[in-house]
Amino acid sequence: MTGEDAGGISTKMSKPVPVSRLSEGEAAAELERLAQEIAAHDRRYHAEDAPTISDAAYDALKKRNAAIEAKFPHLVRADSPSRKVGAAPVDKFAKVRHGAPMLSLDNAFDDEDVTDFVDRIRKFLALPSSEVLAFTAEPKIDGLSASLRYEGGRLVRGATRGDGAVGEDVTANLRTLGCVPQVLKGRGIPDVIEVRGEVFLSHEDFFRLNREQEARGEKSFANPRNAAAGSLRQLDPEVTARRPLRFFAYTWGEASALPGVTQTAVIEAFAAWGFPTNPLMTRCERVDEILAYYAKIAEQRASLGYDIDGVVYKVDRLDFQQRLGFVSRAPRWAIAHKFPAEQAQTELLDIDIQVGRTGTLTPVAKLKPVTVGGVVVSNATLHNEDEIARKDVRIGDTVVVQRAGDVIPQVVRVVTERRPHGAKPFGFPETCPVCGSHAVRELDASGEASAARRCTGGLVCPAQAAERLKHFVSRDAFDIEGFGSKHVDAFLADGLLSHPSDIFLLEDRHGAGPAAIATREGWGPQSAAKLFAAIRARRTIGLSRFIFALGIRHVGEATARVLAQNYGSAAAFIDAMTAAADEDSKAFSELDAIEGIGETVAKAIAEFFAEDHNREEVRRLIGLVDVEDAEKPKTDTVVSGKTIVFTGTLEKMTRNEAKARAESLGAKVAGSVSAKTDLVVAGPGAGSKLKDAQKHGVKVISEDEWLSMIGG
Ligand code: IVH
């Protein structure tokens, strides 16, 4: 759970505001929160096989969502849980054969290629020059193509292009796109039609998605096309539903009948049936019109708000298209007129190191402003330190800059002939430019250094403050109820907080106590009093939660529990970790030797405690809260030392309860079945894990058998 959930209408919230009393703004906010919360529960249930709430609590969330939607029908979200169809994710996409192959396009790179294309067609059709040969012209969207099959006007299948003949079945994912009609409306709808077009992301949505990815510590996408492809090809449709994918319909595959005799008429019918179509599509009758259109779109390219990489021309008359047919995998009646790669040369003035919200150091080229494809560029990404070394980019160099995928400018190469005398190789900083903590490159399992260098000052680095605080107050950490993500951002912006320990100092701080908070926007005396009560309630906390809350890289809940059980008390943990900061110490070897703590984790903990700032903050926290000692795991029960996997639906307890109980009896609870598993406890609906258990010859028992085994 995130801090957002802790502050939102979670299953823990005592009394949600009755739907009848919600204002429109509150309803919209709550629908958003519900969509996220329900999606998270769906994911845990379907994909992770580890639900965290009861079915009844889940149903209550869905019911509330439906009640709010009934009162505010215009607020129904594209990703609303009520719009989801059986969203159980699949292991891998099924293959689907397209009703008619999905073709690609030949390319034209200059005016001459376009003139040749038109001449070829005239010749093929033996058209006299007096006869009109019209074309449609439209932007070539840089996304990925998809085919939507409608039978009886209903969407029955959605597929990716694949190899053109066979694609992947992404029906559930495509159904989550708000702009894709589930049912066609209007006249002339054929029994069968495959409507095809491009799935893409706008620039604005792409940047927002990347900011969110970065905030969650997940990988960001290189360009909108990759982001769109990654979003559509998600095994879990819930993930796709949260991505603001768009669609433009521009062609078709199998069709039992067509609503017109020209390309223009068919696309107009698509629009009337409910599909988004590109408003920039036009009809041209002469080559000079086509070329003028190309020039106009090239000019507008930078301000369209989505990536295009050229213009597509198609013969307008469908009887002509029919006669022209195909050559290998491309139609004779269409061509893509590509834009040349936009490049320019300029001077590299400096290399700035930016620190992301999760601590990644990213080098950014500061450029002497230059126009690249109609846009003034003064910053470009250099990706990471290996890229700088590989391209040998030095401050003062003249560099070639390109707008790749159109939005994010890149430094392509150095014009070495123009290198100024004395330019030195760039020394990538080994400390964080924001907080001064060490910045390190982790080693992966094969011992290779990761491309990214990260700041180790997680607890104190201002660049990471928001993420750190949200994690700290989140449900599985300090669980401070009513203190959601929005509040953290606002308190941070106003300087009320910067370190986690500040939370426990707020109440006594001048201008930050209950009376002061009550006057803030969105707060009142009651909610302020509740917040401080919630903070007070968390002044006592278990050791494993405390460790998890520190947000040490790679230390999730399970690792925090292992650490808590091994060290027992906060004092013992902090002393040992402070000693382990020296990786040659006995304390480090002991940490590294703990079962369940790999070298990467041990190193991350050592690096965290090697930072003076982090240690100081941990000590400040210890002075403000009571950390309870961890219970030593039992070593004398029937299950102590055994590895257990729970699967399927448990009826007598939640998955979390079962896990906690097993662990308190000294067992280890694993998420998947392997040869090392001792026991599988299976409830109704158990799937692949049951098969794995059979494969490895692992004993399987029911929930009742489990309960009687551990004594109820
Ligand atoms: S028409 C037979 N129109 O470009 C006609 N394609 O290089 C096939 N594309 O796979 C496609 N925008 O993904 C067409 N306005 C547009 C397009 C477009 C983008 C993509 C499409 C196709 C690729 C071919």
Side-chain angles (χ1 to χ4, degrees):
M1 278 281 161
T2 62
E4 183 79 66
D5 294 319
I9 173 211
S10 73
T11 43
K12 299 192 70 189
M13 190 158 157
S14 40
K15 259 214 165 54
V17 180
V19 174
S20 59
R21 292 228 312 269
L22 287 177
S23 70
E24 185 164 320
E26 287 166 340
E30 191 141 349
L31 286 176
E32 182 182 1
R33 250 186 342 247
L34 282 164
Q36 286 172 9
E37 188 168 355
I38 292 171
H41 289 308
D42 284 343
R43 210 171 38 253
R44 284 187 208 112
Y45 184 85
H46 291 297
E48 296 160 20
D49 205 11
T52 52
I53 58 167
S54 67
D55 289 354
Y58 176 84
D59 288 343
L61 291 176
K62 287 258 273 225
K63 233 167 123 182
R64 183 165 172 85
N65 187 73
I68 300 174
E69 287 184 347
K71 177 147 186 251
F72 301 97
H74 59 292
L75 295 182
V76 175
R77 301 169 58 81
D79 64 352
S80 166
S82 65
R83 296 179 64 147
K84 301 285 161 53
V85 280
V90 285
D91 279 356
K92 116 171 160 330
F93 297 111
K95 298 267 182 268
V96 260
R97 181 163 290 277
H98 301 300
M102 287 182 81
L103 302 163
S104 61
L105 292 169
D106 275 343
N107 292 322
F109 296 102
D110 54 28
D111 295 1
E112 204 185 323
D113 289 347
V114 177
T115 314
D116 287 350
F117 162 73
V118 176
D119 289 348
R120 258 194 325 268
I121 291 173
R122 280 195 168 276
K123 207 163 150 204
F124 190 98
L125 297 171
L127 282 190
S129 54
S130 56
E131 190 165 342
V132 170
L133 174 62
F135 291 88
T136 57
E138 66 202 280
K140 183 171 188 298
I141 318 293
D142 200 4
L144 73 154
S145 48
S147 183
L148 302 159
R149 186 180 176 91
Y150 291 80
E151 289 177 4
R154 290 184 174 274
L155 176 60
V156 292
R157 169 124 343 116
T160 62
R161 179 175 184 278
D163 65 3
V166 175
E168 285 173 320
D169 186 339
V170 286
T171 313
N173 297 10
L174 282 165
R175 278 191 203 279
T176 69
L177 269 68
C179 61
V180 163
Q182 309 280 331
V183 178
L184 304 183
K185 54 167 205 250
R187 285 184 309 191
I189 295 161
D191 288 343
V192 174
I193 186 157
E194 289 173 345
V195 174
R196 293 175 176 171
E198 204 81 353
V199 174
F200 64 101
L201 275 174
S202 73
H203 291 163
E204 202 187 330
D205 290 335
F206 163 71
F207 285 122
R208 185 173 333 116
L209 172 62
N210 263 0
R211 279 197 302 272
E212 290 167 3
Q213 290 288 104
E214 155 87 354
R216 280 196 298 267
E218 286 168 27
K219 80 170 171 96
S220 52
F221 297 99
N223 57 49
R225 188 191 47 243
N226 289 357
S231 301
L232 186 62
R233 297 192 66 264
Q234 283 287 337
L235 287 176
D236 181 356
E238 304 287 346
V239 178
T240 311
R242 286 196 305 278
R243 307 276 170 87
L245 292 171
R246 294 167 195 241
F247 181 78
F248 274 142
Y250 52 62
T251 191
W252 58 93
E254 186 186 346
S256 55
L258 284 173
V261 295
T262 59
Q263 180 80 24
T264 310
V266 176
I267 300 301
E268 277 170 2
F270 284 178
W273 294 346
F275 290 100
T277 56
N278 197 318
L280 295 171
M281 178 175 148
T282 190
R283 187 171 172 278
C284 303
E285 296 194 346
R286 292 189 322 267
V287 174
D288 58 346
E289 267 183 80
I290 290 180
L291 297 176
Y293 177 82
Y294 175 84
K296 185 182 93 180
I297 298 295
E299 211 169 278
Q300 293 181 1
R301 183 182 184 186
S303 55
L304 287 181
Y306 53 86
D307 279 357
I308 63 171
D309 57 351
V311 167
V312 182
Y313 312 126
K314 298 169 190 166
V315 169
D316 197 30
R317 272 176 58 169
L318 300 187
D319 58 336
F320 284 173
Q321 288 191 5
Q322 186 78 37
R323 279 170 60 194
L324 284 156
F326 309 92
V327 222
S328 70
R329 308 219 54 78
R332 248 189 222 101
W333 44 265
I335 202 158
H337 190 179
K338 300 292 280 275
F339 292 134
E342 309 277 10
Q343 291 193 336
Q345 291 192 6
T346 189
E347 191 187 331
L348 175 68
L349 302 175
D350 202 355
I351 295 177
D352 224 24
I353 305 292
Q354 295 183 352
V355 186
R357 305 215 295 174
T358 52
T360 309
L361 271 54
T362 306
V364 176
K366 295 279 147 190
L367 305 165
K368 190 164 162 199
V370 62
T371 306
V372 190
V375 171
V376 179
V377 169
S378 48
N379 295 317
T381 175
L382 283 163
H383 301 291
N384 53 51
E385 80 185 273
D386 288 346
E387 274 291 293
I388 298 181
R390 195 173 61 78
K391 292 179 180 153
D392 188 18
V393 179
R394 305 182 186 192
I395 293 167
D397 271 341
T398 294
V399 291
V400 174
V401 184
Q402 173 174 297
R403 283 178 50 225
D406 237 356
V407 234
I408 309 173
Q410 294 177 341
V411 172
V412 183
R413 65 183 170 87
V414 172
V415 186
T416 28
E417 310 85 86
R418 302 190 58 185
R419 171 162 287 163
H421 220 65
K424 293 199 185 57
F426 182 69
F428 204 90
E430 295 187 357
T431 53
C432 170
V434 177
C435 74
S437 301
H438 288 98
V440 298
R441 294 176 70 169
E442 288 171 355
L443 299 182
D444 64 18
S446 57
E448 211 145 297
S450 76
R453 196 175 271 280
R454 275 174 192 277
C455 163
T456 55
L459 260 194
V460 292
C461 180
Q464 299 170 64
E467 285 320 291
R468 170 182 75 230
L469 286 163
K470 286 174 196 176
H471 172 78
F472 189 85
V473 299
S474 69
R475 178 122 142 209
D476 296 323
F478 264 73
D479 190 20
I480 299 183
E481 217 173 315
F483 202 33
S485 177
K486 277 192 301 232
H487 304 318
V488 169
D489 285 334
F491 281 31
L492 196 62
D494 294 348
L496 295 178
L497 290 180
S498 68
H499 293 44
S501 56
D502 295 338
I503 294 170
F504 297 99
L505 296 169
L506 268 183
E507 191 158 14
D508 299 325
R509 213 175 115 188
H510 179 68
I517 300 295
T519 61
R520 292 176 65 87
E521 207 189 311
W523 292 84
Q526 259 194 336
S527 53
K530 260 175 102 172
L531 171 68
F532 284 100
I535 294 175
R536 260 178 262 124
R538 296 292 178 252
R539 280 192 183 259
T540 304
I541 188 167
L543 179 58
S544 70
R545 270 179 183 268
F546 179 82
I547 295 174
F548 175 64
L550 297 179
I552 304 169
R553 205 164 146 69
H554 300 303
V555 178
E557 272 183 276
T559 307
R561 257 198 309 272
V562 172
L563 291 166
Q565 289 186 341
N566 267 275
Y567 292 97
S569 71
F573 172 69
I574 294 167
D575 287 349
M577 294 309 103
T578 306
D582 170 4
E583 291 183 21
D584 293 325
S585 65
K586 188 162 155 256
F588 182 82
S589 321
E590 280 165 5
L591 170 66
D592 197 13
I594 297 174
E595 208 191 317
I597 307 282
E599 196 187 343
T600 314
V601 181
K603 280 202 155 127
I605 302 171
E607 274 153 8
F608 180 93
F609 279 91
E611 288 303 323
D612 294 346
H613 306 129
N614 289 341
R615 281 201 312 277
E616 275 163 31
E617 173 63 4
V618 172
R619 295 218 177 272
R620 260 197 301 271
L621 277 168
I622 290 290
L624 292 163
V625 299
D626 286 327
V627 184
E628 293 171 327
D629 291 352
E631 246 182 66
K632 285 267 173 213
K634 296 207 167 64
T635 52
D636 54 353
T637 72
V638 273
V639 293
S640 52
K642 298 240 172 355
T643 301
I644 297 175
V645 171
F646 291 98
T647 183
T649 312
L650 300 181
E651 283 162 341
K652 308 248 160 71
M653 58 193 145
T654 67
R655 191 66 70 87
N656 273 350
E657 277 167 346
K659 198 169 167 203
R661 185 80 211 281
E663 282 172 350
S664 74
L665 294 170
K668 231 168 75 183
V669 178
S672 59
V673 180
S674 71
K676 286 192 190 144
T677 311
D678 295 298
L679 191 63
V680 169
V681 181
S688 61
K689 290 180 189 166
L690 213 50
K691 280 198 205 115
D692 291 342
Q694 272 149 12
K695 193 170 95 195
H696 294 291
V698 178
K699 186 171 172 196
V700 180
I701 60 170
S702 69
E703 185 182 3
D704 284 337
E705 285 169 320
W706 160 252
L707 286 173
S708 62
M709 180 172 179
I710 60 170

